[in-house]
Amino acid sequence: MKDQQVIEQTVVELAAGGERPSAAEAGGVAALQLAEMTVSYGEKPAIFSVDARIPARSMAAIIGPNGAGKSTLLKAALGIVPRLSGKVTVFGEPFQQARHRIAYVPQRASVDWDFPTRVIDVVLMGLYRELGLLRLVRRRHREMALACLDRVGMADFAERQIGQLSGGQQQRVFLARALAQGADLYLLDEPFAGVDAATEKAIIAVLKSLKEAQKTVLCVHHDLATVIDYFDHVLLVNVRKIAEGPAATTFTADNLQATYGGRLASAHIDQLKLPA
Amino acid sequence: MMGSAFVQLSLTPILIGVLSAIACALPGNFLILRRQALIGDAISHVVLPGIVVAFLITGATASMAMLLGAAGAAVVAVLLIEAIKRLGRIEPGAAMGVTFTSMFAGGVLLLEQSDTSTVHLDVEHALMGNLESLIWFRARGWESLFDPVALAHLPPELPRIAVVALLMVLLMVVFWRPLKLSTFDEGFAGTVGVPTGLMGFALVVAAAVAAVAAFDAVGSIIVIAMFICPPAAARLMTNRLEIQILWSVVFATLSAVLGYVLAGYGPLWFGADHAVSAAGMIAAVSGAILALASVAAPHRTRLGAPKDAG
C-alpha cells in the first residue's frame, strides 16, 4: 500500500518535470512563509504583523476589501516595497536564496503599455536570469518564449506591439512571461481584474495545470464568487490577518464578515458560494 | 567648402555638435520613457552654479575643475530632487522645477557678485556655448587628420565629448537589458534581480555626465533640446525601442549638421551678412524635426486598442 503511494507520487513528479520537491517539501514545507510582516507607507500601517503559511502545491488566494493591503502584502514579500519588519521564507530557505524559484505577475495597470516593444520581447524578459547582461537570444530561447505564449493562446501575437493588445491579452502576455521563468512559486496580483470571460477561463486553466505540475500558485483575488471554484487555500486580510487555511474550512460567512466588516452586507454573503 | 578651410573652421565644430547631440540623445530615450525628460533640463541649468563655485574655489578657468564643479552640482541637484520628492511628497516635475530654477538663479547671483567679469564666463556662454570658436587652428586640410602634430592641437572639447559619447554607447549596450526591463516594469525587474534603484540613479548620473560634457562645448540650449527632441521624434517613427534608439541618433546627427550649416550659411542666402548662433540653430532644427515627425511619422497615433474588450 505504501509502495503504491510512492510509485504514484514518483509518476506525478516525473510527469510534472522540473525540480523534484525535496523530502522536506513533500513533508509539508510551506512554499511561502511570512512571519510578523509589517509594512507602512506613512503613519498608518498598510500591513500589520501578518503571519502566513502558503502550503506547497496549493492554489491560494489573498482576499480582502479594497485598501486592505493585499497587493502590498505580495509586493512586500517580494521586496518590491520595503518591510518595516518581518521574515520571508520560500520553500524553507531565506527569500534571497530562493528568489529564482519565484515568478511574479504584477497588476496589468502597473506598466505603460505604450512602451515601444513587442509581445515576444516581453516574454523574453522572463528569461533575464538566464540571459543576463549580454548573452544573445538564441533560437531555443525564442522557441521557449513562443511555447509559453502558446500555452496562454497568444502565439499568433508574438510580433505585435504590446499597445495593440486588449486588456485580457495583456494579462495573458504577463502570464506567459511568468511561465518562461520556469518557477516553482507563482505570485499573481489580481490576474482576473478587468479581463474578459475567455481570458479568465484561459488563465485559470493555465494556473490549474501549474498546480497539477506540483507548482504553487498564490493570487491576490477580488471576486468572492469564484473563490471556492478556483482556490483550495485562502488568506483573509484586512491590514491584519483575519484567517488562513483550507478554503473549505476558512472561507466562511463569519470570517468574511470579520474581514469586510460592514462593507459586505449579510445579504451579499448569503448569495455567495460558500463551502458546503 | 570641402577644402582646407572646411577642415580648419567647420569640421571640428560639426563633429563636436554631432557627438554632443548623440551623447545627450542616447540617455534621453530612457528619460522620456520614464517620464523624466525634465531632468535633462534640470541638469543643464544646475551646471551653471557648479561652474561658478568651481571657479571661485580654484580661481582659474581650468576646464577640469569646471567639469568637476558641474558634475558635482548635477549630483547635488539629483539628490535634492529625490529629497524634495520624498520629504515634501511633491510630484517629480515640481521637485525638478523648484531645484533647477533656484540653483540656476543662485548661479546667476554668484556670478554677478563675484569677480568673474574679467574671465570668459558669462550667462550667454552658458546658454549658447561657443561652438563656432572650436576651430582646428593647426589643420591644413584633410591630410591633417593623419598628422600627429596637428592632431595634438585639436580643440580639447572634441576628444572629451568623443570619449563621453563612446561611454554612453558602451553603457547602453552593456546595460541594455536591465535598463529596458526596469524602465518597462520596475516591480518585475526587481524580482528577477535587477537593482532597479541603482539603475535609475545610474541613468540620471550618466545623463548628467553627458550634459556636463556637452554643456562645456555647446551650451545648455543644445543639451536641453537633444535630451528631448531626437528621442521624442524617434518614438514616433517606430514601435521598437532598439529601432527608436537608432532613429534618435539619426535625428541628433541631422540636427547638428543641418543646424550648423544653416547657422553659418543660411543667413547669407537671405542676404544677411551675419551668421547666427549655431547652438540656437541646431536646437531649432531638432524642434523642427520633432514637429515634422508629429504630423507625418508612421507611429504618431497612440496605439490604444480597445483596452478592456476581448
Side-chain angles (χ1 to χ4, degrees), chain A residues 148-210:
Chain A
C148 294
L149 277 173
D150 196 39
R151 278 182 77 182
V152 298
M154 290 289 291
D156 294 341
F157 293 80
E159 302 293 321
R160 289 274 191 101
Q161 205 276 333
I162 55 171
Q164 295 171 320
L165 304 179
S166 70
Q169 291 167 336
Q170 292 170 352
Q171 190 67 57
R172 292 195 224 181
V173 171
F174 260 12
L175 182 58
R177 177 175 70 176
L179 293 175
Q181 290 181 266
D184 296 316
L185 170 61
Y186 292 79
L187 305 178
L188 300 89
D189 198 346
E190 304 239 12
F192 306 110
V195 304
D196 53 292
T199 295
E200 178 152 347
K201 257 193 185 148
I203 292 176
I204 200 68
V206 170
L207 296 185
K208 288 197 161 149
S209 76
L210 286 173

Side-chain angles (χ1 to χ4, degrees), chain A residues 59-226:
Chain A
M59 277 275 273
I62 304 176
I63 295 160
N66 287 328
K70 303 186 295 292
S71 291
T72 302
L73 183 74
L74 212 55
K75 287 184 194 157
L78 285 160
I80 297 171
V81 300
R83 300 185 288 268
L84 279 186
S85 68
K87 214 177 113 206
V88 180
T89 316
V90 177
F91 294 112
E93 289 182 294
F95 175 77
Q96 284 299 339
Q97 273 144 51
R99 61 190 299 167
H100 64 279
R101 298 180 69 180
I102 305 174
Y104 169 54
V105 180
Q107 275 183 29
R108 185 166 55 83
S110 68
V111 306
D112 172 15
W113 290 92
D114 278 329
F115 193 88
T117 199
R118 296 169 308 173
V119 165
I120 184 90
D121 298 319
V122 172
V123 181
L124 284 167
M125 289 175 186
L127 297 176
Y128 178 75
R129 278 181 187 288
E130 191 182 335
L131 291 169
L133 285 184
L134 292 171
R135 227 153 289 148
L136 287 177
V137 174
R138 301 197 178 276
R139 184 134 65 119
R140 66 188 165 88
H141 297 125
R142 295 184 60 83
E143 278 167 1
M144 199 233 181
L146 280 171
C148 294
L149 277 173
D150 196 39
R151 278 182 77 182
V152 298
M154 290 289 291
D156 294 341
F157 293 80
E159 302 293 321
R160 289 274 191 101
Q161 205 276 333
I162 55 171
Q164 295 171 320
L165 304 179
S166 70
Q169 291 167 336
Q170 292 170 352
Q171 190 67 57
R172 292 195 224 181
V173 171
F174 260 12
L175 182 58
R177 177 175 70 176
L179 293 175
Q181 290 181 266
D184 296 316
L185 170 61
Y186 292 79
L187 305 178
L188 300 89
D189 198 346
E190 304 239 12
F192 306 110
V195 304
D196 53 292
T199 295
E200 178 152 347
K201 257 193 185 148
I203 292 176
I204 200 68
V206 170
L207 296 185
K208 288 197 161 149
S209 76
L210 286 173
K211 180 183 154 64
E212 277 160 27
Q214 311 286 307
K215 313 291 186 189
T216 310
V217 176
L218 172 62
C219 297
V220 169
H221 191 63
H222 223 93
D223 182 7
L224 295 179
T226 51

